[in-house]
Amino acid sequence: MVWDAWGIPSAHAPLPEKVRTLLAQVFGVSGEAVARRDEGNVPLRASVLGPTHVAGLSALVGPDHVRVDHRARLLHAGGKSTPDLLRRRDLDPQDAPDAVVYPAGHDEVLAVLAYCAEQGIAVVPFGGGTSVVGGVDPARGRFDAVVALDLRRLDALTDLDPVSGAATLGAGLTGPQAEELLAARGWSLGHFPQSFEFASIGGFAATRSSGQASAGYGRFDDMIQRLRVATPSGTLDLGRAPASAAGPDLRELFSGSEGTLGVITAVTLRVHPVPETIVYQAWSFPDFGAGAAALRTVAQAGAAPTVMRLSDEAETGLNLARADDIGGESVSGCLAVTTFEGSAAHVAARSAEANALLAAAGGNPLGEQPAREWAHGRFAAPYLRDALLDVGILCETLETATNWAHLIEVKASVTAALTDSLSGQGTPPLVMCHISHTYPTGASLYFTIVAKQLDDPITQWRNAKQAVGDAIAASGATITHHHAVGRDHRPWLTEEIGELGVRVLRAVKQAVDPVGILNPGKLIP
């Protein structure tokens, strides 16, 4: 990805005229974009990794795979949250890793970790660099130097078991690379988070990712059968069967560990045949409460589609769920999107049951076009975010999850916290929300916030994040459903898991990473 925005240059585009008109009406901004800096003119803090350490690491992975040049360091300078991108625009020297190391396999990862532990060098595992919670920030903690451990060379499909429906994938494969390798043999993983185009298999596992098709295929941690993990203390090979009673499941411990306990190098995952057919269907509901109740009915009946989402009135009114028509003709009420994948017979039966439940709950069928439009533009939202930042508009997302009984209450609490904290200079923000993932007992809430940037937008968002994090914690909801903890959510983890829970994590950290080199300052308070 580019150094100062999401994605690839060819996908960046100026804001459409109707969006600029909308911004002028709501926030009073012109819509004229500021020029971006050339990456060669971005100052970085000087590398403190001396020739001896560069030579030591080069001996382990090869001299061509230890980089200390400006471009490699800049491209590993952090993730892609709105504060990350705002910091990239700062004229002061940027934080960056002192070197980037590219191991070729598990044994090389193990060797690098052993060397860095012995020499006291912090290590930040790096997959696609898509973290929006500070998870790949080049923090060095108490160490003098930090290296980014880029896993892109761990990029093979090493095993496919068609009888069991399981595939072993290297941690450095991106979502599209994994799908291409599997599709060539008739299989699919079906994990499509918004970061799909750039995020990695290892990153999905390390953050407990949840894809847009999780209603049908489950979260990424549901798919994990086996993990191979390199730690400074040695190797862990976890998982021998689909289920086991051999004590606590350590796969669960390392899934979601965010590179603080070890480096996931390979993942064996449940896969399924490439779907024979996909059916799209959109619905409208008179209000968010009615739509949420309808989705709950479907989830609790066990009739959930592969994808099932519901936008609230504000998001529906702006057509934010349909990236090609933002600000255009909108659906009245609240838009719900469903897709069904599988064999023709299975899709027909499952869609008939779900459609009957949605109709009985007050849904108005809109046909397939709005759902197809959502599917076509579902990876485009981060590009819109970047274009808004260019014209002086703050745009960020956050998410949480709670049970159905408290869903509306949590939504109201989060919306109020965001509105109150971002209503600077008399201009209230736009706060939009959708249900992105459903479960029999509850659902996630995904918020998109648009506000006029103040003179110090980083502090502006930091204050809002503090207010909304406190509101989420006070409501009893989780601080994160799928973005992970990283640095940004770390202040609320103790409240969520308790002081004893934190001590458990610290004890595990001491066992596998006694020197503490792995991803300092992330996850564990």
Side-chain angles (χ1 to χ4, degrees):
M1 292 193 286
V2 294
W3 70 278
D4 62 342
W6 183 267
I8 55 176
S10 61
H12 289 265
L15 291 172
E17 179 62 33
K18 57 188 175 185
V19 175
R20 293 199 300 271
T21 300
L22 184 65
L23 294 175
Q25 293 172 346
V26 177
F27 298 112
V29 299
S30 68
E32 296 299 320
V34 297
R36 291 181 176 172
R37 283 186 294 171
D38 181 85
E39 66 181 53
N41 297 327
V42 180
L44 299 180
R45 301 193 191 282
S47 173
V48 299
L49 199 71
T52 300
H53 287 319
V54 172
L57 291 167
S58 297
L60 302 175
V61 301
D64 292 338
H65 304 302
V66 179
R67 301 271 299 275
V68 294
D69 59 281
H70 182 277
R71 177 170 171 77
R73 294 178 63 216
L74 179 63
L75 291 176
H76 293 79
K80 298 297 183 180
S81 70
T82 291
D84 288 333
L85 301 186
L86 290 170
R87 281 190 287 269
R88 301 282 195 282
R89 298 158 191 249
D90 198 318
L91 298 179
D92 293 332
Q94 302 276 320
D95 287 329
D98 298 296
V100 184
V101 182
Y102 303 85
H106 179 87
D107 290 344
E108 288 191 3
V109 173
L110 206 61
V112 169
L113 295 184
Y115 178 87
C116 289
E118 180 183 344
Q119 300 297 321
I121 300 170
V123 177
V124 177
F126 198 99
T130 62
S131 173
V132 292
V133 292
V136 293
D137 287 359
R140 61 195 68 224
R142 60 184 176 84
F143 303 99
D144 293 332
V146 57
V147 298
L149 190 71
D150 190 309
L151 301 173
R152 68 181 64 190
R153 296 176 69 204
L154 282 70
D155 60 355
L157 167 62
T158 57
D159 185 63
L160 178 62
D161 177 353
V163 176
S164 305
T168 301
L169 299 165
L173 285 166
T174 64
Q177 289 172 332
E179 285 295 332
E180 182 179 0
L181 288 170
L182 289 168
R185 299 170 71 172
W187 296 82
S188 172
L189 180 59
H191 187 70
F192 301 110
Q194 196 167 74
S195 61
F196 165 76
E197 295 172 302
F198 306 102
S200 67
I201 293 295
F204 292 149
T207 59
R208 300 181 74 92
S209 174
S210 191
Q212 294 165 343
S214 67
Y217 299 124
R219 293 167 57 94
F220 198 81
D221 42 306
D222 296 328
M223 302 175 184
I224 292 174
Q225 305 298 298
R226 293 193 296 277
L227 288 175
R228 191 159 213 225
V229 186
T231 82
S233 298
T235 295
L236 286 162
D237 286 302
L238 305 173
R240 292 190 172 190
S244 170
D249 190 344
L250 295 184
R251 292 174 300 183
E252 288 290 319
L253 185 61
F254 285 87
S255 172
S257 60
E258 302 183 29
T260 63
L261 303 179
V263 179
I264 296 168
T265 60
V267 189
T268 300
L269 296 154
R270 182 186 72 233
V271 293
H272 59 269
V274 172
E276 177 184 326
T277 187
I278 303 176
V279 170
Y280 301 86
Q281 178 65 49
W283 298 80
S284 68
F285 290 90
D287 55 56
F288 187 78
L295 266 59
R296 174 175 59 83
T297 298
V298 173
Q300 292 179 341
T306 309
V307 173
M308 186 164 65
R309 298 162 62 91
L310 173 73
S311 295
D312 72 358
E313 293 88 344
E315 186 170 286
T316 300
L318 279 178
N319 269 359
L320 198 65
R322 300 158 66 188
D324 288 344
D325 196 30
I326 291 172
E329 182 180 352
S330 63
V331 174
S332 62
C334 292
L335 173 68
V337 167
T338 64
T339 71
F340 302 83
E341 300 181 9
S343 68
H346 182 64
V347 165
R350 195 154 50 113
S351 62
E353 181 181 7
N355 290 346
L357 290 169
L358 292 171
N364 177 42
L366 302 175
E368 65 174 29
Q369 190 60 29
R372 284 188 175 275
E373 290 175 358
W374 166 80
H376 175 72
R378 60 180 170 167
F379 303 129
Y383 291 102
L384 174 63
R385 183 271 308 264
D386 295 347
L388 290 171
L389 290 180
D390 287 343
V391 301
I393 296 296
L394 184 73
C395 182
E396 185 58 302
T397 62
L398 59 89
E399 35 70 70
T400 183
T402 189
N403 55 33
W404 289 112
H406 296 110
L407 191 80
I408 303 302
E409 173 190 337
V410 171
K411 180 178 184 291
S413 178
V414 170
T415 301
L418 289 166
T419 301
D420 293 345
S421 59
L422 287 169
S423 291
Q425 300 181 349
T427 304
L430 293 173
V431 180
M432 295 158 279
C433 179
H434 65 260
I435 293 176
S436 58
H437 305 83
T438 57
Y439 307 91
T441 57
S444 68
L445 293 168
Y446 191 98
F447 293 85
T448 301
I449 306 96
V450 180
K452 185 175 182 178
Q453 286 185 30
L454 302 183
D455 292 338
D456 184 355
I458 293 179
T459 298
Q460 178 188 8
W461 178 249
R462 184 184 299 122
N463 292 338
K465 185 71 171 180
Q466 181 69 50
V468 76
D470 290 346
I472 288 171
S475 73
T478 181
I479 195 61
T480 176
H481 171 263
H482 58 270
H483 281 173
V485 175
R487 296 176 85 174
D488 295 358
H489 293 144
R490 188 169 171 246
W492 293 278
L493 188 64
T494 300
E495 183 166 354
E496 181 148 337
I497 69 173
E499 293 283 356
L500 181 58
V502 172
R503 293 205 300 272
V504 170
L505 288 179
R506 290 174 179 167
V508 176
K509 174 81 167 174
Q510 178 63 30
V512 295
D513 181 24
V515 181
I517 62 167
L518 283 171
N519 221 5
K522 322 295 170 46
L523 179 64
I524 305 172

